[in-house]
Amino acid sequence: MDINFTTPAILFPAVSLLLLAYTNRFLALASVIRKLHADYKAAPDPAYLGQIENLRSRIRLVRNMQFCAVLTLLLCTVCMFLLFCGLIFSAEIIFCISLLVMIMSLMFSLVEIQISIRALDLHLLDIEHPERMGKR
């Protein structure tokens, strides 16, 4: 593989957009958590406990997504530095690692989306069949 400064630089816009999307997801979750906290303080309900666990796992996933995205950006920067120093083989290894870390970030994102969909399905089930939800 022939690697030059352009190769790792290609990931910069993608990672920046991912970080923006991940931050928006984090802010949305933070808003839901704050509202749930206020609702629970006003009227404690054991039904909130399932939502809390769901939100806790989603927040962990978003944290991991953000961590991996930032690590990808850092590794791409290190790769460019190594290229500048003429250490081509080391740069290639670091670039490969950055791609693997980005894949991890995207995998975390897929899992978080699946958890989010399950939570929304529960809300829809509650609307469609309120008698079933009361038995849980």
Side-chain angles (χ1 to χ4, degrees):
M1 177 175 121
D2 232 4
I3 188 169
N4 58 35
F5 285 109
T6 308
T7 309
I10 289 171
L11 285 184
F12 278 82
V15 173
S16 296
L17 288 174
L18 275 179
L19 281 170
L20 183 61
Y22 293 168
T23 300
N24 287 339
R25 202 174 271 172
F26 176 80
L27 292 174
L29 282 172
S31 175
V32 169
I33 289 169
R34 286 186 180 97
K35 182 182 179 325
L36 185 64
H37 181 267
D39 291 349
Y40 186 80
K41 286 290 187 181
D45 183 353
Y48 288 139
L49 298 179
Q51 292 179 26
I52 290 168
E53 186 55 37
N54 178 285
L55 291 168
R56 187 179 308 279
S57 50
R58 287 178 62 198
I59 235 26
R60 280 190 206 112
L61 286 167
V62 171
R63 176 199 61 205
N64 293 341
M65 290 159 34
Q66 289 175 320
F67 176 82
C68 288
V70 170
L71 186 56
T72 297
L73 195 58
L74 177 65
L75 290 170
C76 283
T77 306
V78 169
C79 175
M80 292 176 75
F81 178 75
L82 292 171
L83 287 171
F84 179 75
C85 294
L87 302 169
I88 307 301
F89 182 72
S90 297
E92 288 173 345
I93 290 172
I94 295 298
F95 183 68
C96 287
I97 293 170
S98 74
L99 290 176
L100 291 173
V101 174
M102 182 177 234
I103 289 169
M104 287 173 47
S105 173
L106 294 171
M107 295 299 289
F108 284 131
S109 180
L110 284 174
V111 172
E112 195 275 332
I113 289 168
Q114 291 301 314
I115 292 172
S116 175
I117 289 169
R118 270 188 258 131
L120 292 174
D121 281 343
L122 285 176
H123 282 292
L124 291 174
L125 185 63
D126 186 32
I127 292 169
E128 294 171 341
H129 305 284
E131 69 282 354
R132 279 195 218 169
M133 295 305 289
K135 292 180 183 176
R136 285 189 169 182

